[in-house]
Amino acid sequence: DTEVTQTPKHLVMGMTNKKSLKCEQHMGHRAMYWYKQKAKKPPELMFVYSYEKLSINESVPSRFSPECPNSSLLNLHLHALQPEDSALYLCASRTGVEKDYGYTFGSGTRLTVV
Amino acid sequence: AQSVTQLDSHVSVSEGTPVLLRCNYSSSYSPSLFWYVQHPNKGLQLLLKYTSAATLVKGINGFEAEFKKSETSFHLTKPSAHMSDAAEYFCVVSVNTGGFKTIFGAGTRLFVKA
């Protein structure tokens, strides 16, 4: 298995809702990432997990809460989002955090906040 | 400080003609360099990477790139464009600055005309 699987593919949520994005990989990668991508822009790093521990939080608002239940799963819990949070949310993994490893990206969750 | 500059925001070629997407980088550290492709509403896919071995790197789908340290460049080329190559391309630099940092270029949109 050489894929990163993200669910759901599309999500529409109100500003008072709570929802979760899910990401799964079975490549044995020990580093997992959440990126946010706005239209016509490169991905922006949100969170990094290394060996299931949060190692980087790029000053993301607390309405985004990551969770790494085990080495294969990564969740992003969403609560009280704003319309400007609408974006493509990408999960990625790689063998480790070292600079030589390339990312494997999922296809993303297209989030719309109404 | 580290930076990546993709010199063209848009490139348009005819099918069957060569492709050149330009990327310059700046880094005080020894970088690893990557090219990713993103088709509409999809995640990013790794095309190729340079990690201090051979300076001419071959990737998937007929793409290749040459690392030129003297010019601080890592341009992406393909001898003959195919319609399916139309996509967004990102040049990415990774460095070890004591922590591991990844910087995405702004992206180049490739259009392929029939």
Side-chain angles (χ1 to χ4, degrees):
Chain A
D1 188 353
T2 58
E3 290 187 347
V4 172
T5 302
Q6 289 188 245
T7 56
K9 293 194 183 303
H10 301 274
L11 179 63
V12 179
M13 62 185 291
M15 290 189 284
T16 59
N17 291 161
K18 286 185 180 181
K19 296 287 186 183
S20 295
L21 310 185
K22 296 185 184 300
C23 173
E24 189 168 4
Q25 59 89 11
H26 296 286
M27 295 175 282
H29 289 175
R30 303 318 300 263
M32 297 186 75
Y33 301 76
W34 282 113
Y35 279 89
K36 173 183 178 180
Q37 187 178 28
K38 301 285 268 185
K40 302 187 188 303
K41 296 290 187 183
E44 300 173 27
L45 182 64
M46 300 175 73
F47 302 105
V48 180
Y49 274 84
S50 178
Y51 288 86
E52 300 158 53
K53 293 190 187 309
L54 183 64
S55 62
I56 295 177
N57 175 341
E58 290 284 344
S59 303
V60 178
S62 60
R63 57 185 184 268
F64 295 91
S65 175
E67 178 194 21
C68 189
N70 59 55
S71 61
S72 299
L73 294 175
L74 187 65
N75 299 321
L76 186 62
H77 303 298
L78 314 172
H79 173 56
L81 294 192
Q82 303 298 310
E84 59 265 29
D85 296 321
S86 298
L88 182 67
Y89 287 84
L90 293 165
C91 176
S93 70
R94 54 182 183 171
T95 302
V97 296
E98 292 79 6
K99 70 180 180 74
D100 289 352
Y101 296 120
Y103 292 99
T104 300
F105 282 87
S107 293
T109 294
R110 175 72 62 188
L111 175 67
T112 303
V113 181
V114 298
Chain B
Q2 282 56 240
S3 67
V4 182
T5 302
Q6 292 186 238
L7 296 165
D8 306 290
S9 59
H10 299 87
V11 170
S12 182
V13 301
S14 296
E15 191 174 23
T17 64
V19 175
L20 170 64
L21 305 183
R22 299 183 294 165
C23 174
N24 284 359
Y25 71 93
S26 174
S27 177
S28 307
Y29 302 85
S30 177
S32 294
L33 294 154
F34 305 81
W35 276 99
Y36 289 85
V37 61
Q38 185 176 31
H39 289 92
N41 297 310
K42 297 290 187 183
L44 285 71
Q45 180 184 19
L46 179 64
L47 282 177
L48 48 79
K49 66 177 182 179
Y50 165 78
T51 60
S52 78
T55 56
L56 181 62
V57 181
K58 294 187 184 301
I60 62 172
N61 301 336
F63 285 94
E64 63 180 42
E66 185 171 8
F67 174 71
K68 292 187 176 181
K69 186 175 181 179
S70 61
E71 299 176 12
T72 61
S73 69
F74 189 57
H75 300 336
L76 182 70
T77 61
K78 183 174 181 177
S80 176
H82 191 272
M83 296 297 289
S84 61
D85 294 327
E88 189 84 21
Y89 291 80
F90 293 99
C91 181
V92 177
V93 171
S94 284
V95 293
N96 180 0
T97 63
F100 296 101
K101 191 167 179 64
T102 296
I103 305 107
F104 283 77
T108 298
R109 170 69 68 177
L110 176 65
F111 297 93
V112 181
K113 298 174 289 188

